[in-house]
């Protein structure tokens, strides 16, 4: 859609919404959400605005609409919106109002999951780190400090939506909001304080008077009038249902895939499995299904939580770059259309269920005028069943949908959409040494540090997520000449590199399953004063579980030749010098002396080069397959953490291509800066474009 056309459309919507000051009336009953008196079956998809760019939003939303979605669901990212207490950010990728207005312009609804704890594979579960330092705070329980800030932020977001007239009650697209997030799975950890908190949260939210319903997901006892909703892969099978006879059955997260960690392989949930579970949920009187994610996108910068890769739910119906993934996208589109063609009996009819065989079941919906049937085969084998004296073939693990109870228009297991295959086309090679400039970080030692403590400090509360990196340094006088010694380090996570007298002696890392790191190395000490510098790196903060505020990271114990240095005089440096000077930006780049490229690569080296944008509109990625681990920026914008040296069980990297949104690029002179923690070779980097082969 052209710019002027979009402008006209916005103007039109503005005119319409000015004329129709009264908004939609959204309520609910056992059947479904009720919008202006009409029951609705709603298909929804999660798209998180900070995981793409404003330039990508219109296309993502229009592909979602074309795929048969009615609703876009998003979390609200507190950590991105209030990075420092009282300082707010709502521009660019963080423009929540702009995102919702774009959805409105395309005629879709919005579900706003405010949280404000969101988990979402987002560092610290989307909570800003400064919350950690609020005296006396305990997150997500009956704690005055947490409740104060949760209410303050929730109110701010609700008021922001109200002033832009975005709730359906005001004529806007938001039909549903969420407070808290999957609290049911940790509530017992808070014992007696869990229940009062969840009641308070419900009451607080309802008191904000949005004019549209609230829900809680994975909260079986969500207090009235808040709706309890299901999250998971098999809500059709496992959801116990609404906790009150007048609430609808909602599925807020139908997982289209599963999160991927560094060291892990992608999980490709098949189109037919997703379709089967959605159809079953609807057959069991569900009325709202959300795909988590419909578009996953990119964990730019340091947004990802512990060990989560930078591409997010790339296996979703729209891939990381917003390209349609087939057959998933198309098969679900057909599913949506066939269910929508049964809307009348599904919403107004009565359901009867009966057995068609040992593992076969019919769900029949009859209204005074129409009929619809869902015929399920939950067994693994193809069977032929009789339904109303007619034979039907039912493939294993599938559901046939029969509008009119006669003709099968769709079977979840019969995928007629062709697979598509995505490929990367190298467009530019960075293989000439003279095009690279290099800056190697100095290894700080105890004498260089100004922050001191006689103990090993927790990295989360010390670095406060301003950087992945924190140096732990000490010095000691070694009396035995040429002694071979054993350095042993125990860290709570996530990565460490040890240097003795400026020389790298060892590296080790944990994983998503176990962030703890132990390293034992034979090292050479000199006779006299030795400088020990240990770089600890976090790879995203934890995002789930109870008592997030008490999690720690970094070194817990250090021994040299059996002598414990844990309670010793330590010097600290938070972050790297290049980060402090922001040498990844155009203006910061001149603050250090860059050198020409030498053939041998050293750890902790920054590399920079410039490049032309590849012609065309295909998505752009940088192939970092020749590198180890680190961070990358293009024109000062963080494109995320990379970690290609952490392999999947099959020996290949979890992620090799890293997205550079087109809007980050100019036509020429784009600045690419890479901080390489290990000894990767930048001469092997290529700039590729992404296309669909067939
Ligand atoms: C909204 O709809 C509900 C049920 O559909 C109805 O009871 C209520 O009166 C309506 N409210 C308004 C303000 O129209
Ligand atoms: C983590 O644990 C799960 C289940 O035990 C396993 O399947 C997976 O491969 C592990 N991942 C890594 C990166 O070790
Ligand atoms: C949710 O999605 C998963 C996989 O993406 C699928 O297996 C499941 O059936 C879906 N459930 C619902 C209720 O849509
Ligand atoms: C099925 O066939 C039987 C026997 O011919 C008949 O009595 C019955 O009415 C038929 N049922 C339907 C739903 O057509
Ligand atoms: C240790 O650090 C001090 C202070 O920077 C320096 O003077 C000394 O040469 C270093 N020792 C070694 C062995 O590198």
């Amino acid at each position: 859609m052209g710019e002027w056309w979009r402008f006209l459309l916005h103007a039109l919507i503005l005119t319409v919404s000015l004329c129709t000051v009264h908004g939609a009336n959204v309520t609910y009953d056992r059947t479904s959400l009720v919008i202006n008196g009409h029951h609705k079956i709603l298909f929804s998809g999660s798209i998180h605005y900070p995981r793409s760019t404003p330039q990508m939003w219109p296309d993502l939303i229009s592909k979602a609409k074309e795929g048969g979605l009615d609703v876009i669901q998003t979390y609200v990212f507190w950590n991105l919106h209030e990075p420092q207490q009282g300082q707010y950010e709502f521009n660019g990728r963080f423009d929540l109002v702009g995102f919702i207005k774009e959805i409105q312009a395309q005629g879709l609804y919005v579900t706003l999951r405010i949280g404000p704890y969101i988990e979402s594979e987002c560092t610290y579960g989307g909570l800003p780190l400064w919350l950690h330092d609020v005296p006396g705070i305990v997150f997500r329980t009956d704690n005055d400090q947490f409740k104060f800030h949760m209410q303050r932020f929730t109110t701010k977001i609700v008021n922001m939506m109200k002033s832009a007239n975005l709730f359906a009650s005001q004529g806007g697209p938001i039909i549903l909001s969420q407070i808290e997030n999957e609290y049911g799975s940790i509530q017992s950890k808070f014992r007696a304080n869990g229940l009062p908190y969840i009641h308070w949260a419900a009451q607080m939210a309802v008191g904000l008077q949005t004019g549209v319903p609230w829900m809680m997901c994975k909260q079986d006892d969500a207090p009235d009038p808040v709706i309890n909703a299901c999250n998971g892969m098999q809500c059709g099978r496992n959801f116990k249902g609404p906790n009150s006879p007048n609430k609808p059955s909602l599925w807020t997260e139908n997982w289209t895939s599963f999160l991927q960690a560094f060291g892990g392989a992608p999980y490709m949930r098949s189109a037919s499995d997703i379709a089967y579970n959605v159809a079953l949920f609807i057959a069991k009187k569900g009325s709202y299904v959300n795909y988590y994610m419909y578009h996953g996108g990119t964990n730019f910068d340091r947004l990802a939580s512990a060990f989560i890769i930078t591409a997010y739910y790339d296996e979703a119906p729209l891939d990381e770059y917003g390209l349609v993934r087939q057959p998933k996208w198309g098969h679900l589109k057909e599913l949506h259309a066939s269910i929508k063609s049964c809307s009348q009996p599904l919403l107004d009819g009565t359901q009867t269920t009966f057995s068609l065989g040992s593992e076969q079941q019919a769900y029949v919906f009859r209204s005074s005028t129409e009929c619809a049937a869902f015929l399920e085969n939950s067994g693994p084998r193809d069977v032929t069943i009789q339904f109303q004296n007619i034979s039907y073939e039912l493939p294993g693990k599938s559901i046939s949908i029969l509008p009119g109870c006669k003709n099968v228009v769709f079977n979840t297991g019969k995928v007629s959409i062709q697979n598509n295959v995505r490929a990367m086309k190298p467009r530019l090679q960075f293989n000439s040494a003279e095009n690279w400039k290099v800056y190697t970080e100095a290894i700080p030692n105890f004498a260089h540090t100004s922050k001191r403590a006689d103990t090993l400090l927790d990295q989360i509360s010390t670095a406060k997520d301003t950087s992945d990196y924190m140096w732990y340094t000490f010095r000691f006088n070694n009396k035995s000449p040429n002694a071979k010694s054993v350095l042993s380090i125990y860290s709570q996570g996530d990565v460490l590199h040890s240097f003795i007298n400026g020389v790298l002696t060892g590296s080790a890392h944990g994983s998503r399953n176990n962030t703890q790191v132990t390293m034992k190395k034979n090292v050479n000490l000199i006779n006299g004063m030795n400088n020990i510098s240990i770089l600890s790196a976090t790879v995203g903060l934890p995002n789930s579980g109870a008592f997030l505020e008490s999690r720690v990271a970094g070194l817990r114990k250090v021994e040299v030749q059996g002598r414990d240095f844990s309670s010793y005089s330590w010097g600290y440096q938070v972050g790297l010098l290049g980060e402090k000077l922001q040498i990844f930006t155009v203006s910061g780049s001149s603050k250090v002396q860059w050198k020409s490229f030498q053939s041998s690569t050293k750890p902790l080296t920054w590399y920079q080069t410039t490049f032309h944008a590849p012609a065309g509109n295909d998505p752009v990625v940088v192939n970092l397959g020749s590198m180890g681990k680190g961070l990358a920026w293009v024109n000062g914008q963080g494109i995320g953490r990379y970690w290609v040296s952490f392999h999947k069980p099959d020996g290949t990297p979890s992620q090799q291509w890293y997205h550079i949104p087109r809007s980050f690029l100019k036509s020429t002179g784009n600045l690419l800066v890479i901080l390489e923690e290990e000894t990767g070779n930048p001469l092997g980097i290529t700039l590729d474009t992404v296309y669909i082969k067939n």
Side-chain angles (χ1 to χ4, degrees):
M1 204 189 298
E3 279 304 314
W4 67 271
W5 175 234
R6 186 166 306 123
F7 174 79
L8 271 185
L9 198 60
H10 278 288
L12 187 68
I13 282 160
L14 190 66
T15 317
V16 170
S17 54
L18 285 179
C19 297
T20 54
V21 175
H22 58 279
N25 176 15
V26 184
T27 58
Y28 60 80
D29 59 19
R30 174 61 189 91
T31 303
S32 71
L33 290 178
V34 182
I35 303 179
N36 284 336
H38 298 289
H39 286 116
K40 297 270 181 187
I41 287 176
L42 296 170
F43 293 106
S44 168
S46 287
I47 301 179
H48 294 157
Y49 53 100
R51 286 179 159 135
S52 53
T53 61
Q55 292 76 8
M56 292 169 70
W57 295 342
D59 180 58
L60 295 174
I61 294 162
S62 93
K63 285 171 174 163
K65 183 177 182 176
E66 202 191 329
L69 297 194
D70 309 287
V71 184
I72 303 295
Q73 177 173 298
T74 185
Y75 279 124
V76 176
F77 292 70
W78 188 0
N79 58 339
L80 300 179
H81 292 310
E82 196 181 358
Q84 303 298 326
Q85 188 177 340
Q87 289 177 24
Y88 296 100
E89 267 294 342
F90 287 98
N91 295 319
R93 287 191 291 114
F94 308 160
D95 181 6
L96 174 59
V97 168
F99 180 67
I100 296 177
K101 285 191 168 164
E102 181 59 43
I103 298 168
Q104 180 177 29
Q106 299 206 31
L108 299 185
Y109 296 122
V110 172
T111 295
L112 195 63
R113 305 175 79 186
I114 299 178
Y117 166 77
I118 60 170
E119 187 161 0
S120 187
E121 287 67 70
C122 175
T123 189
Y124 226 41
L127 298 175
L129 201 101
W130 56 260
L131 265 189
H132 172 278
D133 293 337
V134 172
I137 201 163
V138 185
F139 298 168
R140 304 176 68 201
T141 184
D142 192 12
N143 169 277
D144 288 342
Q145 290 88 332
F146 185 75
K147 291 192 305 189
F148 171 80
H149 285 290
M150 174 167 167
Q151 176 161 13
R152 189 181 53 76
F153 183 73
T154 306
T155 307
K156 177 166 181 86
I157 294 298
V158 165
N159 288 343
M160 200 170 181
M161 299 301 111
K162 281 185 184 172
S163 21
N165 291 318
L166 292 178
F167 286 108
S169 51
Q170 306 172 287
I174 305 173
I175 52 168
L176 190 62
S177 306
Q178 179 181 309
I179 194 74
E180 248 297 334
N181 188 54
E182 299 194 347
Y183 192 67
S185 43
I186 59 156
Q187 182 170 327
S188 63
K189 300 261 168 57
F190 296 103
R191 298 169 181 272
N193 292 328
L195 196 60
Y197 165 69
I198 217 66
H199 277 266
W200 167 85
Q203 231 169 39
M204 184 272 284
V206 171
L208 294 173
Q209 309 209 339
T210 58
V212 302
W214 288 88
M215 54 138 175
M216 290 179 171
C217 56
K218 278 201 189 175
Q219 185 70 37
D220 293 343
D221 59 353
D224 288 342
V226 175
I227 307 165
N228 60 309
C230 178
N231 283 358
M233 289 208 184
Q234 299 187 5
C235 290
R237 204 156 286 300
N238 301 334
F239 186 37
K240 276 185 264 162
N243 63 12
S244 147
N246 70 341
K247 291 182 185 176
S249 186
L250 310 185
W251 189 350
T252 43
E253 288 194 8
N254 189 10
W255 298 333
T256 51
S257 171
F258 200 62
L259 58 91
Q260 190 184 354
F262 285 114
Y267 173 76
M268 187 60 82
R269 187 174 177 195
S270 73
S272 54
D273 178 45
I274 301 174
Y276 173 78
N277 280 276
V278 173
L280 185 61
F281 188 68
I282 298 290
K284 293 187 170 179
K285 295 184 171 182
S287 59
Y288 173 108
V289 173
N290 179 68
Y291 298 100
Y292 192 95
M293 300 294 294
Y294 198 76
H295 170 255
T298 307
N299 287 309
F300 293 109
D301 249 319
R302 300 187 303 110
L303 178 65
S305 62
F307 288 95
I308 294 297
I309 67 169
T310 297
Y312 191 59
Y313 277 78
D314 180 35
E315 297 75 25
L318 301 179
D319 75 5
E320 177 179 12
Y321 319 110
L323 301 175
V324 164
R325 184 179 283 287
Q326 298 287 34
K328 211 175 253 188
W329 182 87
H331 191 60
L332 295 177
K333 176 184 163 109
E334 291 181 351
L335 168 75
H336 302 149
S338 57
I339 291 175
K340 284 296 175 77
S341 71
C342 302
S343 288
Q344 204 275 341
L346 282 173
L347 293 169
D348 299 338
T350 42
Q351 183 213 46
T352 48
T353 64
F354 50 91
S355 168
L356 301 168
S358 60
E359 296 174 303
Q360 291 76 35
Q361 179 95 357
Y363 302 84
V364 180
F365 296 81
R366 253 181 240 285
S367 68
S368 54
T369 53
E370 284 187 49
C371 179
F374 288 62
L375 308 182
E376 180 200 11
N377 176 10
S378 62
R381 271 175 291 282
D382 300 0
V383 294
T384 303
I385 51 96
Q386 296 286 316
F387 173 65
Q388 298 189 348
N389 292 354
I390 299 177
S391 295
Y392 294 90
E393 304 277 334
L394 271 185
K397 268 272 172 214
S398 80
I399 293 177
S400 283
I401 299 178
L402 294 73
C405 290
K406 201 119 211 187
N407 298 317
V408 176
V409 296
F410 183 81
N411 176 275
T412 58
K414 290 185 181 157
V415 179
S416 62
I417 307 287
Q418 277 259 306
N419 268 46
N420 66 5
V421 179
R422 187 175 74 182
M424 313 299 183
K425 183 188 293 176
R427 301 287 290 269
L428 256 181
Q429 301 200 330
F430 294 100
N431 57 357
S432 103
E434 57 268 31
N435 291 339
W436 285 102
K437 287 195 275 179
V438 172
Y439 169 73
T440 301
E441 285 275 328
I443 309 304
N445 58 39
F446 183 81
H448 303 136
T449 57
S450 51
K451 184 172 184 61
R452 301 280 165 81
D454 292 330
T455 179
L456 289 170
L457 296 178
D458 158 44
Q459 187 167 349
I460 295 178
S461 47
T462 310
K464 302 191 192 300
D465 204 28
T466 54
S467 168
D468 281 4
Y469 302 103
M470 188 160 106
W471 285 100
Y472 290 73
T473 69
F474 71 106
R475 63 184 172 199
F476 79 103
N477 208 346
N478 177 42
K479 299 279 166 43
S480 53
N482 298 322
K484 276 227 183 287
S485 293
V486 176
L487 169 67
S488 98
I489 305 174
Y490 166 65
S491 165
Q492 294 272 68
D494 299 322
V495 176
L496 51 90
H497 303 288
S498 67
F499 296 83
I500 294 187
N501 299 320
V503 178
L504 180 69
T505 55
S507 297
H509 66 79
S511 69
R512 180 165 192 271
N513 289 352
N514 183 3
T515 65
Q516 299 177 56
V517 197
T518 33
M519 190 173 93
K520 224 173 189 165
K521 286 274 168 190
N522 290 315
V523 294
N524 288 314
L525 297 172
I526 60 163
N527 189 18
M529 198 60 90
N530 286 265
N531 298 314
I532 319 283
S533 305
I534 302 160
L535 182 65
S536 173
T538 47
V539 190
L541 301 185
N543 72 327
S544 63
F547 306 113
L548 213 48
E549 71 285 342
S550 60
R551 304 296 177 79
V552 294
L555 274 51
R556 311 304 286 170
K557 188 168 191 171
V558 176
E559 291 178 341
V560 181
Q561 204 58 30
R563 177 175 166 200
D564 190 349
F565 284 91
S566 307
S567 303
Y568 196 71
S569 185
W570 286 86
Y572 293 91
Q573 179 184 309
V574 171
L576 304 179
L577 188 62
E579 288 180 292
K580 194 171 146 201
L581 299 175
Q582 302 204 310
I583 65 173
F584 48 83
T585 64
V586 175
S587 58
S589 160
S590 59
K591 292 186 179 152
V592 295
Q593 280 266 301
W594 295 81
K595 300 211 167 103
S596 57
F597 185 88
Q598 308 293 315
S599 56
S600 73
T601 53
K602 293 205 186 87
L604 292 175
T605 295
W606 296 77
Y607 297 95
Q608 66 148 286
T609 189
T610 54
F611 64 95
H612 298 275
N617 291 318
D618 285 344
V620 179
V621 290
V622 59
N623 180 349
L624 296 176
S626 64
M627 302 300 282
K629 174 183 184 297
L631 292 160
W633 294 262
V634 172
N635 294 327
Q637 309 235 42
I639 62 167
R641 291 189 187 93
Y642 67 89
W643 197 351
V644 295
S645 60
F646 194 166
H647 288 172
K648 296 182 290 200
D650 73 359
T652 62
S654 292
Q655 185 181 353
Q656 178 169 352
W657 286 276
Y658 293 83
H659 187 203
I660 307 173
R662 281 272 175 188
S663 62
F664 286 11
L665 295 173
K666 312 176 279 184
S667 57
T668 60
N670 295 292
L671 179 67
L672 170 66
V673 178
I674 293 170
L675 165 66
E676 168 66 17
E677 223 174 283
E678 303 176 348
T679 54
N681 177 13
L683 301 186
I685 296 174
T686 62
L687 195 75
D688 303 356
T689 50
V690 186
Y691 67 104
I692 301 296
K693 265 173 146 171
N694 49 344

